[in-house]
């Protein structure tokens, strides 16, 4: 259910027939969906060979690569959209990958778990422990999430690095975005979904 | 039939394709007629859509799977992936593997008679290239009544043929599997080939390539060439694991005989190779490798060379391969991306060096199986 909602929101942002790169594409479900619903062309990038085999089974073109090594195989502006769902926080250098995204793509779509969500804050403030939740199921010692952030953190980074935010959605774990999440997204949003581009396209 | 045969493509008899069409070679030379010896496994379906071409590498031949007779010790060279129920499933696909032109497995080459003189071609066999191989394989495809391969699959020099097929005959294959290959040889690759050639050519038994007239063969030179080649096919790690510094006997002998086990292994590999391989073919095939460079036609721009290709590409490499390292496969991938082609890649974790592509590494074979099952599901019957 959750995945389907995130998918349909992202899908609504993607124009028909566009060229898409999906960073950390997992089993290729999103790309297969976009190909069906939006006739997109493109590739996934994935580090896990088992996921790559799933992608092959789904008929999705996928490149076996480590995103921490950058996107050096891709030319500037060679994609309409570069998508990164629930991957940014697991990167070694998230800010570098964001810059790479917007080098090879015109528009970036990024989703990540919001550490500013009130339940996370409560767990930190009163439990005195690192947050563990449905969207952040790991313990601090085994989490793949190296760089967790809040909506505010992300937006500050965007402002500092010349990234313009075109659209923002803060949703709960089933990707509903109610009135509260629209008014105080950093407190009430469990998952952040952004559409971004370069503030100065020529740069 | 015994157990080992039951798990394989079984007994197989090589067949011959005779072409009376003149083949104009890349070098400008002409072959007035030629023969390719080939093997096939499985059945061609009614729509003739399920053919797979396997392309062999430097030391390979047409005997890729199954057994020639019940006494044969070992099956074909890639039997672990081709057969009923295997990743390249002969219950689904009609799998074809020819011995390439210039080979010594029975196809027209240095060992077969030159129609002009009636004597074996020997060193007079014209230099062929990967594109000449593709042209001859294309004629074989036509002879089999096939218009389009479901897939062309090859490792190493075989992968270069897959790549060339995709560029040269774009309408005649659905998928190209380019495994442990490179878009062209590096200077170091060519250097190794040149040492191998010099080893053969400087053998006193070589006689300018006319050794058959002298009832001999440059066996020492060919053995050296193979020993050198074999080192480049393995990784430092796998040699260390297999042999380390282990000795043949208990103690050092302070002489020049075989002392370390790795020396004995290399000699064994070299000697067994010499028994079934022709030196002129070895010379010729190393030149085929050296000359391969599809981007030469487009001023070095591989992406431009790829422009006509329509196949679905699968580019596979192996982490411990230093002969055609994963970085060389990425050169192919990058060109395919620039040319906006369908490409999927896998870099397999392995320890066996370049030879990894011949090993039954589970994730590698599952990848191949999945890709081919999907391909098969979409074929017309």
């Amino acid at each position: 259910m959750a995945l389907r909602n995130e998918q349909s929101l992202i899908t609504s942002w993607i124009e028909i027939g566009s060229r898409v790169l999906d960073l950390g594409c997992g089993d290729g479900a999103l790309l297969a969906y976009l190909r069906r619903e939006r006739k997109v062309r493109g590739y996934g990038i994935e580090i896990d060979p088992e996921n790559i085999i799933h992608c092959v089974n789904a008929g999705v073109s996928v490149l076996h690569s480590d995103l921490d090594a950058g996107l050096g195989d891709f030319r500037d502006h060679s994609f309409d959209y570069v998508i990164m769902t629930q991957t940014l926080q697991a990167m070694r250098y998230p800010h570098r990958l964001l810059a790479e995204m917007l080098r090879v793509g015109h528009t970036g779509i990024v989703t990540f778990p919001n550490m500013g969500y009130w339940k996370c804050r409560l767990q930190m403030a009163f439990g005195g422990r690192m947050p563990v939740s449905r969207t952040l199921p790991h313990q601090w010692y085994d989490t793949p999430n190296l760089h967790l952030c809040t909506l505010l953190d992300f937006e500050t980074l965007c402002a500092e690095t010349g990234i313009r935010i075109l659209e923002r959605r803060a949703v709960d774990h089933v990707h509903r975005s109610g009135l509260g999440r629209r008014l105080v997204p950093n407190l009430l949003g469990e998952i952040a979904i952004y559409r971004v581009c370069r503030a100065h396209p020529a740069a | 039939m015994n157990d080992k045969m039951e798990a394989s493509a079984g007994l197989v008899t090589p067949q011959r394709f005779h072409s009376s069409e003149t083949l104009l070679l890349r070098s400008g030379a002409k072959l007035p007629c030629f023969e390719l010896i080939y093997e096939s496994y499985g059945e061609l379906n009614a729509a003739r859509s399920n053919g797979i071409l396997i392309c062999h590498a430097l030391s390979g031949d047409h005997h890729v799977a199954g057994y020639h007779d019940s006494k044969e010790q070992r099956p074909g060279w890639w039997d672990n992936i081709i057969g009923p129920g295997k990743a390249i499933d002969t219950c689904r696909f009609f799998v074809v593997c020819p011995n390439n032109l210039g080979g010594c497995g029975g196809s027209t080459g240095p060992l077969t008679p030159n129609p002009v003189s009636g004597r074996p071609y020997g060193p007079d066999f014209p230099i062929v290239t990967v594109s000449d191989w593709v042209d001859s394989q294309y004629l074989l495809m036509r002879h089999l009544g096939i218009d389009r391969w479901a897939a062309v699959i090859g490792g190493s020099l075989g992968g270069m043929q897959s790549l060339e097929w995709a560029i040269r005959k774009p309408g005649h294959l659905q998928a190209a599997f380019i495994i442990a290959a490179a878009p062209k040889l590096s200077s170091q690759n060519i250097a190794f080939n040149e040492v191998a050639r010099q080893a053969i050519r400087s053998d006193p038994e070589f006689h300018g390539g006319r050794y058959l007239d002298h009832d001999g063969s440059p066996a020492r030179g060919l053995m050296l060439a193979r020993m050198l080649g074999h080192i480049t096919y393995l990784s430092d790690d796998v040699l260390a694991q297999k042999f380390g510094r282990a000795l043949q006997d208990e103690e050092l002998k302070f002489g020049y005989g075989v002392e370390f086990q790795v020396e004995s292994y290399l000699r064994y590999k070299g000697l067994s190779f010499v028994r079934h391989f022709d030196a002129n073919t070895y010379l010729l095939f190393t030149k085929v490798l050296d000359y391969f460079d599809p981007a030469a036609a487009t001023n070095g721009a591989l992406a431009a060379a790829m422009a006509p290709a329509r196949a679905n590409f699968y580019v596979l490499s192996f982490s411990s391969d230093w002969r055609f390292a994963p970085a060389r496969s990425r050169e192919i991938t990058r060109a395919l991306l620039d040319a906006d082609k369908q490409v999927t890649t896998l870099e397999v974790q392995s320890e066996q060096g370049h030879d990894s592509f011949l090993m039954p590494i589970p994730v590698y074979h599952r990848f191949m199986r999945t890709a081919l099952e999907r391909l098969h599901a979409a074929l017309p019957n």
Side-chain angles (χ1 to χ4, degrees), chain B residues 209-226:
Chain B
R210 290 251 161 254
Y211 43 84
L212 290 181
D213 295 350
H214 296 78
D215 292 324
S217 77
R220 303 290 311 173
L222 183 57
M223 178 180 157
L224 273 179
R226 183 59 178 175

Side-chain angles (χ1 to χ4, degrees), chain B residues 89-162:
Chain B
D89 190 347
T90 51
C91 299
R92 298 171 193 269
F93 290 103
F94 175 64
V95 180
V96 179
C97 182
N99 180 217
N100 284 333
L101 271 184
C104 52
S107 291
T108 300
L111 293 179
T112 60
N114 182 341
V116 177
S117 65
R119 290 162 52 211
Y121 273 106
D124 298 334
F125 191 80
I127 299 251
V128 290
T129 63
V130 170
S131 58
D132 299 328
W133 281 352
V134 169
D135 288 351
S136 64
Q137 291 159 353
Y138 177 81
L139 293 172
L140 170 63
M141 180 188 80
R142 288 298 194 184
H143 163 76
L144 295 168
I146 297 171
D147 178 57
R148 191 169 143 103
W149 299 111
V152 177
I153 303 176
S156 191
L157 176 55
M160 294 170 175
Q161 292 161 64
S162 299

Side-chain angles (χ1 to χ4, degrees), chain A residues 48-68:
Chain A
D48 177 8
E50 296 305 323
N51 272 335
I52 286 177
I53 291 173
H54 286 304
C55 288
V56 169
N57 198 35
V60 166
S61 293
V62 58
L63 307 172
H64 190 189
S65 181
D66 181 358
L67 290 173
D68 279 327

Side-chain angles (χ1 to χ4, degrees), chain B residues 318-381:
Chain B
F318 298 86
S319 60
S320 57
D321 184 352
W322 58 275
R323 187 180 170 91
F324 297 142
R328 306 304 314 279
S329 283
R330 277 201 295 279
E331 291 174 33
I332 298 172
T333 304
R334 208 174 300 130
L336 289 168
L337 293 173
D338 283 350
D340 199 14
K341 305 299 173 189
Q342 295 281 350
V343 52
T344 288
T345 69
L346 182 71
E347 186 181 321
V348 181
Q349 279 299 317
S350 75
E351 286 158 8
Q352 295 99 333
H354 186 57
D355 267 356
S356 297
F357 84 89
L358 294 169
M359 305 294 165
I361 301 168
V363 70
Y364 162 43
H365 278 200
R366 265 190 297 123
F367 177 96
M368 296 294 290
R369 176 189 297 277
T370 306
L372 288 169
E373 275 175 3
R374 195 179 156 85
L375 182 66
H376 184 263
L379 290 177
N381 291 309

Side-chain angles (χ1 to χ4, degrees), chain A residues 47-138:
Chain A
I47 195 169
D48 177 8
E50 296 305 323
N51 272 335
I52 286 177
I53 291 173
H54 286 304
C55 288
V56 169
N57 198 35
V60 166
S61 293
V62 58
L63 307 172
H64 190 189
S65 181
D66 181 358
L67 290 173
D68 279 327
L71 302 175
D73 288 342
F74 298 95
R75 282 185 307 184
D76 296 0
H77 315 302
S78 48
F79 290 90
D80 299 309
Y81 302 91
V82 181
I83 303 173
M84 190 159 43
T85 57
Q86 305 288 327
T87 301
L88 184 71
Q89 74 281 357
M91 293 294 102
R92 200 169 165 81
Y93 305 107
H95 58 305
R96 290 190 196 164
L97 191 58
L98 271 174
E100 276 286 88
M101 271 183 98
L102 294 176
R103 175 183 67 78
V104 304
H106 292 286
T107 303
I109 295 171
V110 183
T111 81
F112 57 86
N114 173 28
M115 279 299 281
Y117 180 53
W118 66 273
K119 281 188 181 169
C120 294
R121 299 192 197 196
L122 279 184
Q123 284 188 42
M124 288 283 284
F126 297 107
R129 310 262 322 256
M130 287 298 282
V132 175
S133 69
R134 280 171 305 226
T135 45
L136 294 166
H138 299 94

